[in-house]
Each structure stands twice: as structure tokens, then as C-alpha cells.
Amino acid sequence: MKKIKLALLIILSVIILAGCGKSAKEEFFDYTKKNVTENSSNDISMTVKDIKLTADMKDSPEANVMVTQLKDIKVTGSMQHDVSEKATNTKLNIEALGQKIPLEFISKNDDMYFSLDIFRGISKIASQFNSELPSDEKTLSAFDGKYLKLSDADTLEIDSKSATNLTKKFQKEVSNYFTSLDEERFTKENDVVTFKLTKKDVVVLAEKFNTLSKSKKEYKEFVIPDFDEMIKNLPKALDAKFNLNTKTNDLAVALTSTFDKKDEGFIDSIEVLYNYKPNDKQVAIKLPAKKEIVNVKEIEAILAPYLSDELDEELDEELDEELDEELDEELDEELDEELDEELDEELDGDFNMADDEFKELVKELEKEDFSSFSAAESDELLEEYEPLLTEKQYKTIEKIFKNK
């Protein structure tokens, strides 16, 4: 939770920097100042532009399927800011794994509300992975149209007044830091101002945040534990390129993360695009009615039957593990083999890749050169793909390998 708070504070603080003037640098900060001193409404979107696999994983069927699914993730929505009411409303629609998930935040002064309509979409996605999240209509409808008040002490377990004071001080630190940057880091061509944020900037800002958190007793709950370890675990490279059109006020942000080989992940780098475009949809921001607001205890009560069943299942699993350990090694191996065979039979033909996902996978494979592959190597790759595909999809993949 504290890492999430830090990331949000840094990103939001970069967006709300203040400044004035006519240089490329000052034009960039003119835009950010305008967004917090005047009413605004923007359409926003996020897409995954590119994902590169590590050299040892680019031929992995499982990794390629995962990449295809990640590339299909899209976020669209709007963000509205009412200065006089000190209120904001952010509405997003997340498209992932064939589902559309609504996400909404409403805030006014120090109060923030989170829409629970998201639960229905999450439950549908979880069911694809055989999760036991509740999916019955009675439980799901109990969350429809409801909001969780995030500023309640029993929700985030933080002092909202201290959080507000710390945020204001941190924003001032961020503003001072960016004001001190060299003019050369801000360039302008035609109407577009370009600025690049680097990993070094992120680390400096993180250090400033942690120093502020340690400066007063009231901020101690925001001090990041294992701070050095957290910085060490950041991606090898982290670059954010901001392109601001000073004529239209459109802002495009390209965030690229490059990972170290020692992280042992399957992704070498990922590039995500964010776009902010002004619109004329400014309407009054409406806070949730009292009857629409629920607290954590009410949510726990709704989920109580599910949580009870889950606990019973965990206890059963622990008991099964203890019994398995007492079995003779030979019997245990036989049992494992039987379970593996049953699992393979269950998986065969049950995985139905969506047509659009499969088309993306085909595009990726067609870019590769398999001409140097021996017949045995091609057959081995086909065997790996077979459990993941329908018969028709498999024949298409087979043709790609055989024709290369």
C-alpha cells in the first residue's frame, strides 16, 4: 500500500506542477498550472504499445499468449476537475480478457469514494482462472451502485489530515525540483513541447518523499519500509516522454520500462501510452448519496459466506498436504502421475483463445524466422502450443512453422 501511495503521489505531483513564462519549459508548466487552477475535463486513454520478450522466452507459447493478452488491455475514460467545489471525478473503462470493467473515483475536499461496480467485472475475469470469488447474482447485485468511502479511517487506516498536509508539502518539493531542471531538457518543435522524465528523477523524488515523511512525527506512517530495497527493485530503466501540444492542450505520455536480466522475468521491456485530450463535457460532480455508501464491515458481511467456505477449503488443503507427506515415495509418485494425466485431459481442448487474441499471436509468429529450425524443433514447438489451441487454431500455427 505504501509503495502504491508513493507512486501515485509522484505521478500526480508531476502533473500538477506550477509555472509561467514562454520558454518550452515554462509553457509545459503553464499547462499543468491551468489544470489545477481552472475547471477542466479531459478524455483519457491507455494502451500497451509494445512488449518485448527476453531472448530465451520469445519462442515460448505461454509467454506469447500472455503478451497477446497484455497488448489487448485498453483503458478509456474521462477526468473532470471542479476547482470551486474542490472536487474531481475520474471514470474509466478497462477492457481486459474479454471483459469491460468500470472504475470510478469521486473526491471532494479530503473525502474520496470508490465505485464497487468493478466487482462484477473482476468476478467474471477471476472465474476464467477457476477462482472461487463469489459470482452469484445476489452477491454481485449487492455491490451494484455502491461506493466505498476511502477516506474513512477503517478503510485505509491513515490520518487523512496528515496525508493532505504531506501531499501539499511534497508537491511543493516536486515543483521546486522541476523548476531547477535545465532548460535543455524541454524542447519545442512547432506547437509540441517535449520533456523526458528518467529513472534518476523518480529516485530523487522518492527520496524527497521519504525524507519529508521522516521530518514529522505525524507523517511517520508514510515512511516507506525497506526504502533502499524498493529503489533497488525498480526497473533497470524507466523513461516517461511527455509531448504537450500547446495549441490543442493534448498531452501524450509514453512510459517505457526496461527490466534487468537478473530479474528472471519473461518481459525485456514494455511501452505504455497515455493520452489526455480536453473535452466540453463539464457537468456538476455529484457525490454518492448516503444510501449508496458502504463501509468495510458491510462489505465483509456480504462476503462472509464466501470467506467462511474459503477458510474451510484452506484447512482441507492443509490436511491433505499433511496426509500426502505420510505416503510412501513410490505411491506418492504414482499419485502425482495420475493427477498429471487427469489434469492434462482436463486442459486438452478447454482453453479457448479469443479470435482477436489468436490473430495477434499469428501476427507475432509470422514476424519470426523459423527457416533455421529443424523438423524436430518445429514439432517440439507445435507440441507446446497444442494444449493452448483449438484444432483449427493449431492447424494455422502448424502451417506457419512448416512453411518457414
Side-chain angles (χ1 to χ4, degrees):
M1 176 62 74
K2 300 240 173 159
K3 290 183 181 180
I4 294 173
K5 291 178 194 170
L6 171 64
L8 288 174
L9 280 172
I10 290 176
I11 293 170
L12 290 175
S13 296
V14 170
I15 297 298
I16 65 172
L17 301 177
C20 60
K22 294 184 179 180
S23 68
K25 172 182 173 181
E26 290 167 335
E27 280 191 272
F28 182 85
F29 293 132
D30 265 350
Y31 164 83
T32 57
K33 180 180 180 180
K34 183 178 180 180
N35 271 273
V36 293
T37 58
E38 300 179 13
N39 290 348
S40 63
S41 183
N42 294 280
D43 291 322
I44 55 183
S45 66
M46 185 221 77
T47 55
V48 180
K49 181 181 180 182
D50 189 31
I51 299 176
K52 288 183 171 62
L53 292 172
T54 56
D56 59 327
M57 293 296 289
K58 71 176 185 177
D59 293 327
S60 165
E62 292 85 356
N64 277 286
V65 169
M66 181 70 72
V67 166
T68 300
Q69 292 175 335
L70 288 173
K71 284 185 176 181
D72 283 341
I73 295 175
K74 296 178 182 178
V75 179
T76 56
S78 62
M79 180 183 294
Q80 188 174 319
H81 183 207
D82 188 325
V83 176
S84 60
E85 294 293 327
K86 296 183 179 179
T88 61
N89 186 5
T90 302
K91 292 183 177 180
L92 301 174
N93 282 301
I94 304 170
E95 295 181 37
L97 298 175
Q99 300 296 326
K100 290 186 178 181
I101 306 172
L103 184 65
E104 181 181 12
F105 287 95
I106 304 174
S107 68
K108 183 172 183 179
N109 296 318
D110 295 333
D111 290 332
M112 179 177 283
Y113 305 88
F114 175 64
S115 172
L116 296 178
D117 287 344
I118 191 175
F119 193 86
R120 186 179 288 272
I122 290 177
S123 177
K124 288 181 180 179
I125 288 180
S127 66
Q128 296 181 28
F129 297 93
N130 297 320
S131 169
E132 296 300 324
L133 275 178
S135 58
D136 60 285
E137 185 59 29
K138 181 181 178 180
T139 302
L140 294 178
S141 61
F143 291 101
D144 292 342
K146 302 296 183 181
Y147 291 82
L148 175 65
K149 190 174 182 180
L150 295 177
S151 46
D152 283 344
D154 63 345
T155 303
L156 292 182
E157 299 181 350
I158 63 173
D159 184 340
S160 59
K161 183 177 180 180
S162 296
T164 301
N165 292 337
L166 176 61
T167 300
K168 289 179 179 178
K169 289 191 174 185
F170 180 57
Q171 288 169 358
K172 185 176 181 180
E173 287 283 339
V174 173
S175 179
N176 291 337
Y177 174 72
F178 281 95
T179 301
S180 69
L181 294 178
D182 293 338
E183 295 279 351
E184 289 75 14
R185 292 187 61 178
F186 299 81
T187 60
K188 184 176 182 181
E189 184 175 349
N190 297 324
D191 295 317
V192 179
V193 174
T194 299
F195 163 63
K196 292 183 180 179
L197 186 74
T198 67
K199 179 181 176 179
K200 181 180 178 182
D201 296 315
V202 173
V203 172
V204 170
L205 293 173
E207 290 171 342
K208 288 181 178 294
F209 175 82
N210 218 35
T211 299
L212 269 178
S213 300
K214 294 178 180 178
S215 65
K216 283 189 177 183
K217 187 177 180 180
E218 64 181 286
Y219 302 149
K220 66 179 182 179
E221 61 185 313
F222 300 99
V223 175
I224 304 169
D226 303 320
F227 179 80
D228 292 337
E229 187 66 22
M230 188 202 75
I231 296 298
K232 182 181 177 182
N233 290 330
L234 286 173
K236 181 175 66 174
L238 186 62
D239 299 290
K241 183 179 180 181
F242 296 79
N243 285 322
L244 169 66
N245 188 312
T246 57
K247 191 173 183 179
T248 63
N249 279 339
D250 291 357
L251 177 66
V253 184
L255 178 63
T256 304
S257 301
T258 305
F259 303 94
D260 200 314
K261 292 181 179 179
K262 66 182 180 181
D263 292 337
E264 297 182 354
F266 66 92
I267 294 178
D268 179 68
S269 66
I270 181 169
E271 183 178 1
V272 182
L273 301 182
Y274 302 86
N275 286 284
Y276 305 81
K277 295 179 179 292
N279 61 45
D280 56 359
K281 302 174 185 176
Q282 190 80 29
V283 294
I285 296 175
K286 183 181 177 182
L287 296 180
K290 188 175 182 180
K291 63 181 181 180
E292 297 173 327
I293 300 172
V294 297
N295 56 40
V296 172
K297 290 183 179 179
E298 289 174 298
I299 293 175
E300 289 176 346
I302 295 172
L303 297 177
Y306 157 73
L307 295 174
S308 176
D309 291 342
E310 186 180 61
L311 180 60
D312 289 341
E313 288 178 8
E314 289 177 1
L315 291 173
D316 288 342
E317 287 176 4
E318 289 177 9
L319 180 60
D320 288 341
E321 288 176 6
E322 291 176 5
L323 291 174
D324 283 343
E325 290 175 1
E326 296 175 3
L327 292 174
D328 177 79
E329 182 177 354
E330 183 178 346
L331 179 60
D332 195 29
E333 287 178 0
E334 290 178 4
L335 180 60
D336 285 343
E337 287 177 6
E338 290 177 9
L339 289 174
D340 286 341
E341 288 176 4
E342 289 178 10
L343 182 60
D344 287 340
E345 289 175 3
E346 290 177 6
L347 287 175
D348 269 346
D350 284 348
F351 184 94
N352 289 318
M353 189 185 301
D355 289 339
D356 54 346
E357 292 181 354
F358 179 69
K359 288 178 182 177
E360 288 298 320
L361 178 60
V362 170
K363 286 181 182 178
E364 294 298 322
L365 291 175
E366 287 178 338
K367 294 177 185 177
E368 302 294 333
D369 181 11
F370 298 104
S371 59
S372 62
F373 278 44
S374 66
E377 289 173 326
S378 295
D379 290 341
E380 186 177 344
L381 269 176
L382 283 168
E383 286 179 11
E384 290 186 45
Y385 272 102
E386 188 171 10
L388 305 173
L389 307 170
T390 64
E391 184 177 350
K392 184 177 179 181
Q393 290 172 339
Y394 176 80
K395 287 181 178 178
T396 300
I397 298 297
E398 182 180 34
K399 194 175 293 183
I400 291 175
F401 287 146
K402 298 297 184 182
N403 293 339
K404 290 280 184 175

